[in-house]
Amino acid sequence: MSKLVVLYTKPSDPAKFSKYFRETHMPLVEKMPGLRDCTFGPTTDLEGKDGAFFWMFVGTFDSLKAIMDALGSPEGQKVVADIPNYASTAPVILHLDS
């Protein structure tokens, strides 16, 4: 299994970010081919305080190739194109083999 990890810094309006991500962005993400499972939400450090990142998305795919194919698909391109609609800075995007 491979995971697509997306980390977002804290936006100026966290409530607006959360609402948009849940109601608009996630329906696009859920259409990406090959997405097996995902989780997302706000993050904190281990003491419950603001951490280095505000929000995290983790999507599970069969392989790195499946991630790349999903991102290159029409559905994936819509997901990528939607990011500036709710995030003022580019997220950190990582791959993890598990």
Side-chain angles (χ1 to χ4, degrees):
M1 286 294 173
S2 290
K3 299 196 185 300
L4 174 66
V5 180
V6 185
L7 303 168
Y8 297 90
T9 58
K10 189 170 186 178
S12 59
D13 187 343
K16 182 178 176 183
F17 177 103
S18 177
K19 180 176 174 47
Y20 189 95
F21 194 96
R22 293 173 191 279
E23 295 178 6
T24 304
H25 191 68
M26 277 309 299
L28 298 174
V29 171
E30 291 169 345
K31 293 178 183 176
M32 288 177 60
L35 178 65
R36 299 286 181 206
D37 189 26
C38 68
T39 188
F40 60 89
T43 64
T44 62
D45 68 13
L46 294 178
E47 295 176 355
K49 299 176 184 170
D50 286 349
F53 294 97
F54 164 73
W55 193 274
M56 180 189 315
F57 168 87
V58 179
T60 303
F61 293 82
D62 288 337
S63 64
L64 176 57
K65 182 181 182 323
I67 291 171
M68 299 307 290
D69 289 347
L71 291 172
S73 71
E75 296 86 356
Q77 290 298 302
K78 287 180 184 176
V79 167
V80 172
D82 188 48
I83 293 171
N85 293 328
Y86 62 90
S88 58
T89 59
V92 174
I93 301 174
L94 305 169
H95 165 252
L96 172 68
D97 269 327
S98 59

